[in-house]
Amino acid sequence: MSARLSAAVAALVYFVALPSQAALTLDQIMAEPDWIGAAVESPYWSADGASVYYALKRDGSPVRDLHRIAVADGADRTLDAAELAGIDGKDAVFDQARRRAAFVRNGDVFVRDLASRRLIQVTRSTAEESAPQFSADQNSLQYRVGNDWYGYDFASGVNFPIAVLKAEKNPRDKKPGDFEQLQLRLIGTLKQDHDNKEALKARADELRKADPTRAAEPVYLGDDVQITQAAVLSPDGRWLLVATTPKGHDGGRAGKMPMYVTESGYEELEDVRTRVGRADPAPETLWRVDLATQAATRLDFAALPGISDDPLAAIRSENEKAAAKDAEAGADKDKSKAAKKSAKDDGKAKSDKAKADKAQRNVGVVALQFTRDGSQAAVMLRAIDNKDRWIATVANTDKPALSSRHRLTDAAWINWNFNEMGWLPDNRTLWYVSEESGYAALYTRHGDDKAKAVVQGRFEVSEPQLSPDGAWFYFKSNAEAPYSYDAYRVPAAGGASTRLTTFKGLEHFQLSPDGRSLLAAHSSSYVPQQISLVPADGGSARALTDTRSATFKAMSWQAPQIVPVPSSHGKDPIWGKLYTPAAGGGKRPIVLFVHGAGYTQNTHLGYPYYFREQMFHNLLTERGYLVLDLDYRASEGYGRDWRTAIYRQMGTPELEDLVDGVNWLVKEHDGDAARVGVYGGSYGGFMTLMALFRAPEVFKAGAALRPVTDWTQYNHEYTSNILNTPEVDGIAYRRSSPIEFADGLRGSLLIAHGMIDDNVFFQDSVRLFQRLIELKKDNVELAPYPMERHGFTHASAWRDEYARILKLFETNLRTNATP
């Protein structure tokens, strides 16, 4: 690199002037974000609705302070440690008359009498209590400790066990063996002692059943299972739903991650996750327990439509044929025949296994919820092969059975979002969110009646909340535009929706206890999350906070332009954020930023997760770059088809979209097709590699940060949805893994990776680097960060990483750079 260019890079690393304001440095951009002002965290209502609580990080410290704002006058106070003993906790639940509220705070259960403001501490223990609910008769509070349920009687003030679950055999079911029977027959004293013990046990059972002040006997589920889904209790205290898996299920081999910079001074190992396909998730069994008789009934999944289907049959066949074809193409005829026979035998074994599994398609339990009167429960289940989601109900009768209420099936995979469900106050009408129309929509279903779409359209519906009287659904939606989110409401019985807020960057909201106001958490491009109050029927917002620093508020930032980029592979545009340099100057170098996670949304009007990158884009435009940040196919917010376009071909549709973005910049914004760079982290790092390896004629330089380089090395929960498993669908993994295309690299590549990344392992980058060495690729730099995980936490590492990215672009894309 020339001395002149070196000076230009150094100047840019340390200094860039924004118009009409003080100089902005890269050091400041990548510094601890305290200088921006902490975002409002975890806002919630007090139980009486008179106050709002929120947490705020202290400057220069990880400690959070709790603030309370009085709704009446907006006075904001930081609470001291002594005051925390009297506050309400989050997610309060109310009795039917709404005279009492219950919540968990610091792992203990409390009840607030709303009229007197009296606070009752129900528990004080080292255990973690959860899930408080009022009993159906309103005389007690029920709560969970682990998998067990306890009650608190309001009249007596007594805590008592309701259901204690044990994954053990019931000792009372033990029968004397042959040798024991012989002993009892031959030795009369032994027989007498045995009979006396049995008589005492029988008397204890009789007294326990007749005396309500005694603790209930444990429920024994057997010693061949382990409890996996936290048990759910019916409010009448009679029924329990609990999920189990077989004990001893092989979870697969866990990884070992070395850590080199440690307090001990020695290298240490940390256990990390298994890889995709190394072991399928354990199948779950659902039990309905009658607490009056302690009988546990296994619920049969046969009633679920499609439970015996094999949605992977065609994919298995495709892979078997491909394996046989590869075997036939072998150079050695004998070896080819042997390989062909092996592939055929392997295919037959898989087919046999598929047939054997046909009647035993495995499922996992997603959610369980009883009606308020305890008469029935809703159960959400998901196929372990990711192709089906069911909602069924269980009527609490002597012979319980699942009744299917909804099946959502997808040839690709069921979304991990948009799975909310619940009951209307009538205890008979089920509500749920489903993507069956192609977009997340809200439905209700009363008994056996046909399901009814309450809110449906070419937009997403999420976070539905019922008003206290059950008359309204409140929800978050991007109905105005894919990138604009606000709160809406609709009559629970159906009708027209009403937009309630106009933030365009709504993050979350909570309905007040009386149902009259919304506590809205919202943000904008350069304003971290703040909170406001909005009337529940719509109206002007009343701001409660602005936590930005004076320094940050005084700065002028370039508002990203939301742009629809025409797609060459579909009728819908590719929405993106565009950052442009000042006018003039001829052809502009191009940088594409690629967001992570795959299924996330970065083209929106709220404060971005990638706020550092957004400031970095300002810096790039000051140097003359065009910067485009696209919500490529797979991104959230655009419906099911956009999400699943990458099924079995990760990296292909997204790359097509990135190339479309480059072509649009060249055509419409004087972009220079000869000077195109790309960067991103995690999934964005993966896509950077795919861009450089598979479209080297377009992309000349790229920075792949913490990238997935081979999907066989990633986790099961995410990857098996999109690519199935390597055993079943090796074709999908080969066409989707960058390491398979590494020979295509022509431009310059920076790989940056935290060495203690427990999400995308550092091994991913090391393996790829070795592959590139073997391919004699000399234009590659590997930057390891010994003390960083997947998301960097140290400002020094952030600065170093982005200084390297900047140097990469300046060296390769700004050939005519000037100091």
Side-chain angles (χ1 to χ4, degrees):
M1 182 167 57
S2 69
R4 183 177 182 182
L5 185 54
S6 296
V9 172
L12 183 53
V13 169
Y14 290 101
F15 173 83
V16 61
L18 293 182
S20 303
Q21 67 181 45
L24 178 69
T25 65
L26 188 64
D27 284 352
Q28 186 173 30
I29 291 175
M30 299 301 160
E32 294 292 342
D34 290 351
W35 73 277
I36 296 172
V40 169
E41 299 177 10
S42 306
Y44 67 97
W45 288 99
S46 63
D48 61 5
S51 302
V52 167
Y53 295 99
Y54 70 92
L56 197 68
K57 179 184 174 298
R58 292 181 186 174
D59 285 352
S61 169
V63 173
R64 266 71 176 170
D65 289 310
L66 191 67
H67 289 240
R68 178 167 58 204
I69 299 176
V71 171
D73 60 9
D76 188 332
R77 292 185 58 249
T78 302
L79 302 181
D80 61 35
E83 291 177 293
L84 299 181
I87 67 168
D88 299 332
K90 294 181 65 177
D91 303 319
V93 295
F94 298 84
D95 64 8
Q96 289 186 14
R98 302 189 79 82
R99 290 195 296 261
R100 295 186 180 112
F103 48 83
V104 173
R105 195 184 75 210
N106 300 324
D108 288 309
V109 179
F110 295 80
V111 173
R112 173 82 72 187
D113 183 290
L114 297 178
S116 67
R117 295 286 302 158
R118 179 181 173 226
L119 184 64
I120 303 169
Q121 184 165 5
V122 175
T123 67
R124 182 180 296 173
S125 71
T126 57
E128 287 288 327
E129 285 87 20
S130 63
Q133 61 184 36
F134 290 90
S135 63
D137 62 11
Q138 308 294 288
N139 292 328
S140 65
L141 184 74
Q142 302 159 341
Y143 58 93
R144 191 166 56 211
V145 184
N147 288 306
D148 303 328
W149 279 87
Y150 289 79
Y152 172 79
D153 183 74
F154 290 118
S156 65
V158 172
N159 282 284
F160 56 93
I162 300 173
V164 177
L165 296 177
K166 293 186 178 294
E168 304 170 6
K169 288 183 178 179
N170 191 333
R172 297 181 184 280
D173 294 339
K174 183 181 178 182
K175 305 297 181 184
D178 293 342
F179 195 56
E180 292 172 292
Q181 292 182 35
L182 176 63
Q183 290 292 94
L184 294 175
R185 181 171 63 82
L186 294 177
I187 310 299
T189 305
L190 283 176
K191 179 67 164 62
Q192 182 179 355
D193 289 347
H194 173 80
D195 291 347
N196 287 342
K197 291 177 183 177
E198 293 301 310
L200 289 173
K201 289 178 182 177
R203 177 57 175 166
D205 287 345
E206 180 184 359
L207 293 175
R208 183 180 291 108
K209 292 176 182 178
D211 184 355
T213 67
R214 295 196 178 204
E217 188 177 8
V219 175
Y220 295 92
L221 298 175
D223 63 355
D224 57 346
V225 301
Q226 56 186 13
I227 300 168
T228 53
Q229 181 82 4
V232 176
L233 176 72
S234 64
D236 61 7
R238 173 71 186 274
W239 313 100
L240 199 72
L241 287 173
V242 61
T244 65
T245 56
K247 187 171 288 185
H249 175 76
D250 182 6
R253 177 179 172 180
K256 300 286 185 181
M257 183 174 68
M259 298 181 290
Y260 294 100
V261 181
T262 62
E263 290 188 16
S264 70
Y266 291 89
E267 63 276 12
E268 299 173 5
L269 292 177
E270 179 179 302
D271 289 334
V272 289
R273 60 166 170 79
T274 57
R275 272 77 164 175
V276 59
R278 299 306 191 270
D280 285 338
E284 290 191 302
T285 299
L286 184 61
W287 304 86
R288 204 288 304 269
V289 179
D290 184 342
L291 295 175
T293 64
Q294 295 189 311
T297 304
R298 178 174 179 163
L299 296 174
D300 190 353
F301 294 149
L304 301 177
I307 190 65
S308 297
D309 292 351
D310 182 8
L312 294 171
I315 292 170
R316 287 192 186 91
S317 177
E318 179 188 353
N319 277 267
E320 290 162 11
K321 290 176 181 177
K325 186 176 180 180
D326 289 345
E328 289 176 347
D332 188 298
K333 186 175 181 181
D334 292 334
K335 288 183 179 179
S336 177
K337 288 180 179 179
K340 183 177 180 181
K341 182 178 184 303
S342 175
K344 183 177 181 181
D345 291 344
D346 185 54
K348 182 177 183 304
K350 290 178 180 177
S351 296
D352 291 344
K353 182 179 184 298
K355 290 177 182 178
D357 290 344
K358 186 173 179 60
Q360 300 293 327
R361 193 173 173 207
N362 293 328
V363 303
V365 178
V366 178
L368 305 166
Q369 187 168 341
F370 280 96
T371 55
R372 194 148 195 174
D373 65 359
S375 62
Q376 61 179 323
V379 179
M380 184 178 288
L381 305 135
R382 179 178 171 128
I384 285 177
D385 58 36
N386 308 309
K387 310 300 182 189
D388 272 289
R389 185 200 77 178
W390 297 274
I391 300 176
T393 55
V394 185
N396 286 318
T397 61
D398 291 337
K399 295 182 178 180
L402 291 176
S403 297
S404 179
R405 290 289 178 252
H406 175 65
R407 178 191 182 189
L408 178 63
T409 188
D410 199 309
W413 76 93
I414 299 297
N415 200 341
W416 43 78
N417 284 358
F418 308 125
N419 291 301
E420 301 96 331
M421 72 170 187
W423 294 97
L424 293 185
D426 65 2
N427 298 311
R428 296 295 177 269
T429 303
L430 181 71
W431 66 261
Y432 58 89
V433 177
S434 173
E435 270 191 330
E436 62 197 84
S437 70
Y439 291 82
L442 178 63
Y443 300 84
T444 58
R445 183 171 182 183
H446 182 80
D448 293 327
D449 295 347
K450 185 178 178 180
K452 176 181 180 180
V454 179
V455 184
Q456 186 181 69
R458 285 178 57 85
F459 51 81
E460 309 283 37
V461 172
S462 64
E463 303 181 25
Q465 298 177 33
L466 270 173
S467 60
D469 60 6
W472 297 90
F473 276 111
Y474 292 79
F475 59 94
K476 175 183 170 182
S477 180
N478 58 349
E480 180 191 34
Y483 47 82
S484 178
Y485 286 87
D486 271 299
Y488 296 75
R489 77 171 184 173
V490 65
S497 297
T498 303
R499 183 177 179 179
L500 304 177
T501 65
T502 55
F503 297 116
K504 299 181 183 288
L506 182 74
E507 304 284 353
H508 305 285
F509 71 92
Q510 293 178 28
L511 196 60
S512 63
D514 62 6
R516 295 179 180 178
S517 299
L518 297 180
L519 173 59
H522 55 92
S523 65
S524 59
S525 295
Y526 295 98
V527 179
Q529 179 170 282
Q530 307 298 324
I531 51 176
S532 296
L533 296 181
V534 182
D537 56 358
S540 299
R542 173 185 161 199
L544 297 180
T545 63
D546 185 351
T547 59
R548 291 173 296 164
S549 69
T551 300
F552 189 74
K553 283 195 284 188
M555 288 185 167
S556 298
W557 299 99
Q558 180 181 160
Q561 304 172 49
I562 305 294
V563 294
V565 175
S567 170
S568 61
H569 296 84
K571 62 181 181 179
D572 291 328
I574 313 156
W575 289 97
K577 287 182 177 179
L578 175 65
Y579 303 81
T580 60
K587 295 289 186 181
R588 302 292 195 177
I590 294 169
V591 169
L592 262 61
F593 171 69
V594 190
H595 68 67
Y599 190 66
T600 193
Q601 187 172 12
N602 203 42
T603 299
H604 57 74
L605 294 172
Y607 192 68
Y609 172 80
Y610 301 99
F611 64 93
R612 291 182 181 89
E613 289 80 351
Q614 180 173 252
M615 292 187 287
F616 183 64
H617 297 160
N618 277 256
L619 186 152
L620 288 176
T621 60
E622 287 300 313
R623 299 298 295 179
Y625 289 86
L626 285 165
V627 182
L628 183 61
D629 171 2
L630 287 175
D631 273 348
Y632 49 83
R633 275 172 288 175
S635 298
E636 183 181 9
Y638 305 92
R640 179 265 173 197
D641 291 349
W642 197 262
R643 170 177 66 85
T644 61
I646 63 170
Y647 179 57
R648 302 187 68 216
Q649 55 173 359
M650 293 170 80
T652 296
E654 310 96 297
L655 182 54
E656 293 169 350
D657 293 345
L658 298 185
V659 172
D660 282 346
V662 171
N663 292 337
W664 179 76
L665 288 173
V666 171
K667 180 180 178 182
E668 302 293 339
H669 291 276
D670 291 324
D672 189 344
R675 295 185 291 163
V676 180
V678 58
Y679 86 102
S682 194
Y683 201 99
F686 153 70
M687 281 307 307
T688 295
L689 296 175
M690 292 299 261
L692 290 174
F693 295 171
R694 298 187 63 189
E697 72 285 358
V698 177
F699 298 95
K700 301 303 187 284
L705 320 176
R706 54 197 184 277
V708 175
T709 68
D710 181 356
W711 287 106
T712 66
Q713 298 296 308
Y714 199 53
N715 68 28
H716 187 94
E717 293 74 19
Y718 179 92
T719 320
S720 65
N721 284 279
I722 308 172
L723 299 180
N724 304 308
T725 62
E727 178 191 21
V728 170
D729 201 359
I731 291 174
Y733 282 80
R734 287 191 294 275
R735 70 163 65 113
S736 301
S737 294
I739 200 168
E740 300 281 355
F741 304 97
D743 192 39
L745 178 64
R746 298 293 180 269
S748 295
L749 169 62
L750 166 67
I751 303 171
H753 209 138
M755 293 177 68
I756 54 172
D757 187 338
D758 53 3
N759 182 357
V760 180
F761 300 150
F762 181 58
Q763 183 196 30
D764 257 64
S765 289
V766 174
R767 289 176 73 241
L768 176 63
F769 193 61
Q770 177 61 30
R771 175 71 176 142
L772 293 169
I773 290 171
E774 295 172 1
L775 291 170
K776 300 178 182 178
K777 303 296 182 180
D778 302 325
N779 47 349
V780 180
E781 176 189 354
L782 175 61
Y785 294 88
M787 295 187 66
E788 301 304 326
R789 294 191 181 271
H790 195 61
F792 283 16
T793 58
H794 301 97
S796 57
W798 276 106
R799 185 214 166 277
D800 182 89
E801 183 178 51
Y802 275 78
R804 293 175 189 274
I805 296 170
L806 191 56
K807 179 180 177 181
L808 174 78
F809 292 153
E810 288 290 274
T811 303
N812 292 278
L813 305 183
R814 292 194 69 230
T815 54
N816 297 316
T818 57

